[in-house]
Amino acid sequence: ARVDKTFRPKEGTEIGLEVQSLAAAQQNRSQAVDGGQKAEDGSSMNFQITSSNGRSVQVNVSDTAADGTKRTNEQMYQDAAQQINSRRNLGVKASVANEDGKIYLVLSSEKTGESNGFTVQGETGAASGIQNVAAEGQNARYTVTQNGQTTSRTSESNKISLDYGRIDATLTGTGSAQIKAGADTDKIVSAVKDMVNQYNEATDLLKSNAGRG
């Protein structure tokens, strides 16, 4: 975690931060296909994406070009991605990923968090599997210890507030950190050990830039 911008914490402030998980966005991923291969008969797409904000887009992609020839899988995937990304404020973005010589259609929520997901319904055709969730959207989960009291918290975003709003932080990894403020503290830099790291490698988890408030 790092602190983006902050008011000066009160002298003597000491905060313990333990991050169990980061906020993440939902992601759906289609089957892997050969991008240069001609589309199979009956592989046209006609499906709807509906996001948590209530907006939706209908995706219609034919497996046949205007001249009657078969389109390639990549042409179909790129067409589908363009239709999705042209829908403003949908809350979902599409991309075509290439891995090990195969391509995938990937859908991702624009916002992290459990309540910012989306659904896919209809005939997915060449993009079979895109209706299935590959990675669930999740909230950040962390505990804060201050003034001898420990509280568990969740956030749909990795941007959080500490010390009653005096500190704005961005969580960038799991692990623990101690924030201490003294009379002449202008910057707080804590070297934090990532608890998941099997090799006990130290990483910077929290950096703060204290602005005078």
Side-chain angles (χ1 to χ4, degrees):
R2 74 174 186 274
V3 174
D4 288 332
K5 54 185 177 179
T6 174
F7 297 107
R8 179 192 297 276
K10 295 168 61 177
E11 182 177 351
T13 295
E14 184 172 342
I15 302 171
L17 175 65
E18 178 79 28
V19 182
Q20 289 84 38
S21 64
L22 297 177
Q26 179 183 327
Q27 186 177 98
N28 289 24
R29 192 171 183 175
S30 74
Q31 65 178 346
V33 296
D34 183 339
Q37 182 177 323
K38 295 293 185 181
E40 297 180 359
D41 290 338
S43 62
S44 295
M45 306 177 201
N46 183 18
F47 61 86
Q48 180 174 280
I49 301 171
T50 304
S51 65
S52 59
N53 62 21
R55 295 184 173 86
S56 63
V57 62
Q58 191 72 31
V59 180
N60 290 288
V61 178
S62 175
D63 59 15
T64 306
D67 61 5
T69 61
K70 283 293 184 180
R71 305 175 74 185
T72 66
N73 289 320
E74 182 165 14
Q75 287 173 331
M76 294 183 67
Y77 277 21
Q78 294 290 357
D79 190 354
Q82 190 277 328
Q83 291 184 35
I84 296 164
N85 292 334
S86 65
R87 176 68 164 93
R88 297 183 61 186
N89 302 318
L90 178 63
V92 180
K93 287 298 181 184
S95 62
V96 179
N98 193 315
E99 185 177 309
D100 298 327
K102 301 288 187 179
I103 63 169
Y104 306 80
L105 180 63
V106 181
L107 304 179
S108 302
S109 295
E110 289 190 300
K111 294 181 179 180
T112 57
E114 296 173 0
S115 69
N116 292 312
F118 58 91
T119 59
V120 179
Q121 294 180 314
E123 298 297 325
T124 55
S128 176
I130 197 66
Q131 72 276 16
N132 299 322
V133 178
E136 297 277 358
Q138 68 177 25
N139 295 342
R141 288 177 168 77
Y142 59 99
T143 58
V144 176
T145 301
Q146 186 171 2
N147 299 326
Q149 294 186 331
T150 299
T151 57
S152 297
R153 301 180 185 178
T154 63
S155 171
E156 290 199 326
S157 169
N158 286 315
K159 293 185 176 182
I160 64 171
S161 293
L162 301 170
D163 195 27
Y164 308 103
R166 294 186 179 90
I167 301 173
D168 296 325
T170 299
L171 305 178
T172 60
T174 56
S176 59
Q178 287 293 122
I179 305 171
K180 296 181 181 180
D184 298 321
T185 301
D186 286 319
K187 293 184 178 180
I188 306 165
V189 179
S190 295
V192 182
K193 182 169 68 176
D194 187 339
M195 305 301 289
V196 180
N197 192 323
Q198 298 297 317
Y199 297 96
N200 202 30
E201 178 182 356
T203 58
D204 285 339
L205 184 66
L206 184 70
K207 295 180 180 179
S208 74
N209 298 315
R212 300 180 181 274

